[in-house]
Amino acid sequence: MSATIRRAAPADAAVLAELGAATFVEAFGHLYTPEDLRAFLDESHSVSAYAGALADPAYALWLAEDAAGRAIGYAQAGPCGLPHADVRPGDGELKRLYVRAGHHNGGTGRALMDAALAWLLRDGPRPLWVSVWSENFGAQRFYARYGFAFAGEYEFIVGAQRDREFMYHRPAAPPAV
């Protein structure tokens, strides 16, 4: 079953908050204490956090929906905020890309990635960034297929826990001749 990808609208903030929290817990919930996980979800996956991103023209979000209209994945892109010395104003970042566990390997992640990349590159080539948990080997392989290469690491904070997070970079493509 293929998913429908659409640009998220302000009315989708609650759906994105639920989906964002659910997919984060599916992927990483086992890594954290309940207190750390709750604090992170309350801050990063609240309705107000998604409403703010949806209202900011510097950011864009997409929803993947199954045939019944249920949200099964999402992507978020915007200006790069990663703590790397090579990040420059104008660099773009894939902030998030999550698909519900039961829908992996069906092309939904690829479709979301393609939508986010098209938006990030809408004004022409530019350097792009993404970060991924150091132990998420599947995501690392996925991003490598899109030309992203390891560029460094930093600590991703969830409550009191510090995770080893990798930063991946893709240089601006050379202009077409």
Side-chain angles (χ1 to χ4, degrees), residues 16-169:
L16 284 161
E18 186 280 325
L19 180 63
T23 54
F24 187 85
V25 170
E26 283 177 1
F28 305 116
H30 65 285
L31 299 173
Y32 307 109
T33 66
E35 299 79 23
D36 285 348
L37 182 60
R38 177 54 33 214
F40 179 78
L41 295 176
D42 287 348
E43 179 182 336
S44 296
H45 293 284
S46 66
V47 173
S48 63
Y50 284 100
L54 288 163
D56 187 337
Y59 294 86
L61 292 100
W62 296 265
L63 273 170
E65 297 170 325
D66 67 13
R70 291 181 298 255
I72 60 169
Y74 77 107
Q76 180 178 351
C80 185
L82 293 173
H84 193 284
D86 293 340
V87 170
R88 299 290 177 258
D91 288 3
E93 180 185 351
L94 177 68
K95 304 283 190 180
R96 296 178 177 158
L97 193 159
Y98 286 94
V99 176
R100 287 194 186 266
H103 298 275
H104 289 184
N105 300 314
T108 301
R110 184 176 58 247
L112 286 165
M113 182 71 167
D114 291 346
L117 287 177
W119 183 82
L120 284 164
L121 300 172
R122 69 197 180 282
D123 295 326
R126 66 176 171 158
L128 299 178
W129 297 82
V130 65
S131 73
V132 61
W133 180 47
S134 60
E135 303 297 315
N136 191 343
F137 305 116
Q140 292 169 34
R141 287 188 302 272
F142 177 81
Y143 297 130
R145 289 194 295 272
Y146 280 89
F148 287 84
F150 179 82
E153 61 183 81
Y154 72 106
E155 290 183 334
F156 184 83
I157 299 169
V158 176
Q161 185 166 322
R162 272 57 175 158
D163 291 332
R164 187 174 178 213
E165 187 88 353
F166 288 164
M167 292 176 278
Y168 282 74
H169 175 253

